Amino acid sequence: MARRYLPVAAFAGLIVAIQLATFFTGTAYHLTQLTMTAYYSLVTVGLCMLIGYAGQISLGHAGFFAIGGYVTAFLTTCNLKLHPGVLVSVLEKSGLLVARSDAYGGSLLTVHPWPACGVAILLAVVIAYLVGGPVLKLKGHYLAMATLGFGIIVYRMVLGTEFLGSADGISDVPGFPLLSGMLITGNSSARVSNYYLAWGLVILGMVLLLNLIHSRVGRALAAVHGAEDAAGAMGIPTARYKLNTFVLSAVFAALAGVLLTHYNGGIGPSEAGVMKSVRYVAIVAIGGMANLWGALSMSLVLNYLSLRGYFGTYDDAVFGVILILIMLFAPDGLLRRHILSDLKRAVSRNPAEEEAS
Amino acid sequence: MTLLSVRGISKRFGGLQAVSDLSFDVAAGSIKALIGPNGAGKTTIFNLISGFLPPDCGEIVFGGAEIHGMSSCEVAARGMVRTFQHIRLFPKMTVLENIMVGRHIHSRAGFLAGMLNLPFTWGEERRIREKSFEIMELLGIGAHAGTEAISLAYGQQRVVEVGRALACEPKLLLLDEPAAGLNMRETNEMGRLISRIREMGVTVLLVEHDMSLVMKISDEVVVVSYGEKIAEDRPLAIQKNREVIRVYLGDDA
Ligand SMILES: Nc1ncnc2c1ncn2[C@@H]1O[C@H](COP(=O)(O)OP(=O)(O)O)[C@@H](O)[C@H]1O
Ligand SMILES: [Mg+2]
């Protein structure tokens, strides 16, 4: 147990240290990108569970992120234009609807962020079950292609749907109020609290996933990953376990989509793009596949660099190249124990041997 | 009492009739062997019985219930567990972890309980661990608990695979060539292990090429050739059966 939770405490310490460093160096504006990084990390660790532990690839997880983001954006910005009446006031009192004023001072009646979030997650779960059911029967390249297809469908749909803002996406999404009176919002006054909230969520997600991989289900998933037929012979319902993990990772992605959309105040179609999905997979790969901490630390570094613009116009290309290089030279990822001996072997490998084998 | 009853099952792969109209019973508490030349269809019969392949026709009754059409995992949950001709241990997992997977059907912590690390799972995990150590001691592989299973010597991997199946506490254990690739000493040990498993109350159905092993430990033998049953009898009688001798030694014998 200590071995499971000690790194969690260390990571929490790192998060605090980063915040303090930005405070003392007067660079608190970095917290904005770091908060966004936290939400993207939520997608990454969920996907790491699916790819690294259950052994199932998905090249469509930006689709689930977008489903979460777009559903909440639409519901919390679309003016319902209901006539005031008993029903409306009951819905308002119960907290399902909320009246507010828009940017131009007009009055607006929309769905409250909490039920909107609920609908978004529920829809992601339903779609994950519907897509995952048939798709997870496929293996390897076929599964990759099918999930890629799903991602492209979501992308084309948000791009081509007028009420989802087409190429512009949806903006003016309100903040997400929490019980404590806190608001998930990009306002600079709430920067520090939002930073801690977002990373707190990531840490909570990590604890849940770490628990899972050390449980009976985690063992079963490792068995399915290692030898699916033998896992079936042990009475493990392999299809159901794969599907549940797929849905779980979709929930992580959709929740990240919901919260980041409220934080940013909007969402655009690029969030649903294939290159976003590739980026998530690339980070899981460079983190070492079956390595939650690897995925998280790589996500922290790479997303931060990307969001700060260090990769310039090559942003997407960087992640594509990372994925190619990892697949070619270190298919088990960079962060693992035997990296040095592997490198030595790779260097000393001579061509004659290659031909002989 | 009959534990498993196979009634007229057949399986066709394209133009090949791998199993045709095959019937036999396995009595509870017995060791039954399934023998026949390579390609006779023995592994296919195992696949049909254990839910890995659906039979084209016929009935399979296990523990009084029809299991035809059930998935391998449903069949396992009912108490029929198999091993594989080509060892299928879980890579990147220790011997202990491999055996612990065998306790899956006897424990119940699901996704939610696992993620929340609910207190009831702690006791469950402890019992899984204890039972797994018990089995490793029984098989004499306790010293390798922390070793990656697939890094063991071949003979020990076979033992781990049997141990993993035993951890399921099956009613019926299907062993597909458990002595394949073992040396003489290891084969004898495997024979003793199988007899001990029967003494524990587990019924065994066995595919094996090592005739002396089969004749020594089994109560009854079924002989298949080209997917058809050509004999079913006690070991001594099988050894004298003319048809069996013809199949094994060729037509000139
Ligand atoms: N999944 C399959 N598809 C096609 N042919 C198969 C399949 N499984 C087995 N066979 C064929 O069925 C025959 C019986 O194979 P098998 O059951 O493995 O024999 P045994 O275990 O007795 O050596 C062989 O000719 C084999 O090639
Ligand atoms: Mg065989």
Side-chain angles (χ1 to χ4, degrees), chain B residues 13 16 18 36-45 53 85 176-177 209:
Chain B
F13 295 121
L16 176 81
N38 262 327
K42 306 178 296 292
T43 297
T44 305
I45 294 168
L53 285 174
Q85 182 174 348
D176 197 348
E177 303 202 19
H209 274 301

Side-chain angles (χ1 to χ4, degrees), chain B residues 37-126:
Chain B
N38 262 327
K42 306 178 296 292
T43 297
T44 305
I45 294 168
F46 267 25
N47 286 338
L48 297 175
I49 299 174
S50 58
F52 275 78
L53 285 174
D56 296 336
C57 60
E59 289 175 16
I60 305 165
V61 179
F62 175 61
E66 171 68 52
I67 58 167
H68 178 276
M70 283 189 185
S71 70
S72 59
C73 111
E74 288 170 299
V75 172
R78 283 171 172 270
M80 185 200 301
V81 177
R82 69 172 295 181
T83 64
F84 295 83
Q85 182 174 348
H86 303 286
I87 300 180
R88 303 287 280 136
L89 291 176
F90 304 124
K92 295 186 191 163
M93 291 169 84
T94 63
V95 170
L96 173 64
E97 285 166 338
N98 263 273
I99 306 241
M100 284 172 81
V101 173
R103 297 302 295 163
H104 189 86
I105 52 177
H106 295 287
S107 39
R108 57 193 185 89
F111 275 76
L112 218 55
M115 281 198 284
L116 299 176
N117 198 8
L118 295 181
F120 91 82
T121 66
W122 305 346
E124 189 176 273
E125 280 292 299
R126 203 189 55 238

Side-chain angles (χ1 to χ4, degrees), chain B residues 149-169:
Chain B
I150 56 169
S151 73
L152 291 178
Y154 192 81
Q156 280 170 329
Q157 291 192 32
R158 281 263 176 230
V159 176
V160 174
E161 206 188 23
V162 173
R164 188 178 66 186
L166 272 186
C168 302
E169 293 185 74

